[in-house]
Amino acid sequence: GEDVEQSLFLSVREGDSSVINCTYTDSSSTYLYWYKQEPGAGLQLLTYIFSNMDMKQDQRLTVLLNKKDKHLSLRIADTQTGDSAIYFCAENTRNSGYSTLTFGKGTMLLVSP
Amino acid sequence: DAGVTQSPTHLIKTRGQQVTLRCSPKSGHDTVSWYQQALGQGPQFIFQYYEEEERQRGNFPDRFSGHQFPNYSSELNVNALLLGDSALYLCASSLSEGGYTFGSGTRLTVV
């Protein structure tokens, strides 16, 4: 079955880089996603990567994908206090020909001034 | 262009009652998926609707049911509420495959 694992907590200082890691199990996933959730809010799509890519950069965000090890990471450069939130890794899994998202439990990122 | 709209935003129900949550998808999207997010957990897939039919279901009991209307909006119904049903319920819309847009969710508290 599908399972997505993430570390639960990360604390960094403002201006540092943050790296959030994720492992997944479904080798047939076509897309892998990173979502951000602020307190009391829904999910905001940050970025995604197609499974045939190794890296994707989008402004302060860099996604690295190691398909052999089924490992995904999100690097946030110059982390700001506004980046404090819970970050979810999700894989696009297919059952009966249709795709759904399988999420990890989320990594709480705390950015201190 | 409105995104995904969910109502109500918050709801308190008593154990054993029934509840209906509503979702209006993003304009142009034809597929609606529902997720349950318990406190401290990641969202768990409940079911997905396309062309007014449930086409995929996660590991949730039959107390959870849904509907999709011709205008693509959707409802999630939960019968015989349990304390453990307390959660944030998220609706996501997409165009057939991928490109999911999430609403802000309905926070359900069962007392």
Side-chain angles (χ1 to χ4, degrees):
Chain A
E2 309 93 13
D3 201 10
V4 178
E5 300 280 347
Q6 297 179 240
S7 52
L8 295 182
F9 184 75
L10 177 65
S11 178
V12 300
R13 289 204 174 272
E14 193 172 24
D16 289 349
S17 291
S18 307
V19 180
I20 302 171
N21 294 299
C22 167
T23 57
Y24 62 97
T25 56
D26 189 347
S27 59
S28 67
S29 292
T30 50
Y31 288 94
L32 294 137
Y33 301 85
W34 285 103
Y35 284 87
K36 176 183 180 182
Q37 187 175 41
E38 299 187 50
L43 297 177
Q44 173 194 350
L45 177 65
L46 282 179
T47 187
Y48 63 93
I49 188 167
F50 190 51
S51 59
N52 70 352
M53 297 170 66
D54 298 325
M55 186 182 86
K56 180 179 180 182
Q57 187 150 5
D58 184 1
Q59 299 182 334
R60 293 192 296 123
L61 305 178
T62 303
V63 179
L64 295 178
L65 175 61
N66 181 329
K67 201 170 179 184
K68 173 177 169 289
D69 295 336
K70 299 191 182 71
H71 183 266
L72 184 73
S73 68
L74 173 70
R75 179 178 181 269
I76 305 173
D78 188 25
T79 314
Q80 303 297 306
T81 54
D83 294 324
S84 293
I86 300 175
Y87 291 79
F88 291 95
C89 168
E91 61 175 342
N92 196 18
T93 54
R94 296 184 76 87
N95 289 307
S96 305
Y98 302 115
S99 66
T100 61
L101 295 179
T102 300
F103 288 86
K105 291 187 177 180
T107 299
M108 179 178 289
L109 174 64
L110 180 63
V111 183
S112 54
Chain B
D1 178 25
V4 177
T5 305
Q6 291 188 243
S7 64
T9 54
H10 294 84
L11 200 53
I12 299 175
K13 287 287 190 178
T14 303
R15 197 170 38 179
Q17 285 188 314
Q18 178 262 346
V19 69
T20 298
L21 310 182
R22 295 176 175 83
C23 172
S24 292
K26 182 177 178 178
S27 178
H29 284 182
D30 60 5
T31 302
V32 173
S33 304
W34 287 91
Y35 290 80
Q36 180 196 65
Q37 187 181 16
L39 196 64
Q41 302 293 316
Q44 296 286 315
F45 173 69
I46 303 175
F47 41 53
Q48 184 180 86
Y49 278 85
Y50 173 71
E51 291 189 342
E52 302 179 52
E53 296 280 334
E54 180 185 294
R55 72 176 182 184
Q56 193 159 187
R57 188 180 184 91
N59 189 23
F60 278 81
D62 292 345
R63 298 186 298 108
F64 289 76
S65 63
H67 190 77
Q68 185 179 35
F69 300 93
N71 66 353
Y72 307 120
S73 66
S74 177
E75 289 181 349
L76 163 66
N77 301 293
V78 187
N79 293 323
L81 284 166
L82 304 173
L83 295 179
D85 296 330
S86 295
L88 180 68
Y89 288 85
L90 294 163
C91 171
S93 71
S94 58
L95 184 59
S96 192
E97 295 277 323
Y100 300 91
T101 301
F102 280 83
S104 298
T106 294
R107 185 160 299 281
L108 172 64
T109 302
V110 182
V111 297

